[in-house]
Amino acid sequence: QVQLVESGGGLVQAGGSLRLSCAASGLTFSSYHVGWFRQAPGKEREFVAGITRGGSVTNEVDSVKGRFTISRDNAKNTAYLQMNSLKPEDTAVYYCAARAIDRPTISISNRESDYGSWGQGTQVTVSS
């Protein structure tokens, strides 16, 4: 049974930092792309960042480029989202998701429907 568990969310002041973790089990983690998504109150869930199987290629949405960094440690079956210079508009529930990849590709999907496994989410609140 595939399980993704996010942690590291919390309340932080604007300009602060948080590091989210996504611990995976029940899958061959290194065979999956990982994506981070977020959903703010009253808004649709949106793609934030993604990373390929080996971690060599990443992709971030423009609104977080230069502030957020996605990474992974396949030996620990864990992906991370380092969030710096946080803004109130970053307030959301953050989800990690995994997409099975059967052949090497550097194309990282930003579509929810391409990711078959999801975590339960972790709340990030940025106060002004």
Side-chain angles (χ1 to χ4, degrees):
Q1 180 182 356
V2 175
Q3 189 171 20
L4 302 176
V5 179
E6 301 96 336
S7 61
L11 173 64
V12 64
Q13 288 189 333
S17 298
L18 285 173
R19 188 176 83 153
L20 305 184
S21 297
C22 173
S25 60
L27 75 169
T28 304
F29 188 61
S30 59
S31 296
Y32 287 72
H33 285 187
V34 173
W36 283 96
F37 292 76
R38 66 186 179 185
Q39 186 168 23
K43 295 187 177 181
E44 294 187 350
R45 190 156 55 182
E46 65 171 350
F47 174 83
V48 176
I51 189 167
T52 52
R53 299 186 307 180
S56 61
V57 179
T58 64
N59 185 26
E60 299 85 19
V61 70
D62 285 346
S63 61
V64 307
K65 280 184 178 178
R67 301 189 297 121
F68 290 11
T69 302
I70 187 172
S71 62
R72 66 190 296 163
D73 185 340
N74 286 345
K76 296 183 178 179
N77 284 359
T78 302
Y80 305 95
L81 186 67
Q82 178 67 45
M83 305 186 297
N84 299 328
S85 302
L86 282 160
K87 304 176 181 180
E89 52 263 43
D90 295 318
T91 294
V93 178
Y94 284 71
Y95 300 87
C96 70
R99 179 191 183 196
I101 300 295
D102 59 1
R103 64 184 68 182
T105 176
I106 62 171
S107 176
I108 299 171
S109 174
N110 61 2
R111 298 183 302 186
E112 289 186 50
S113 58
D114 283 338
Y115 292 81
S117 301
W118 290 81
Q120 82 289 348
T122 186
Q123 176 70 47
V124 171
T125 303
V126 185
S127 63
S128 57

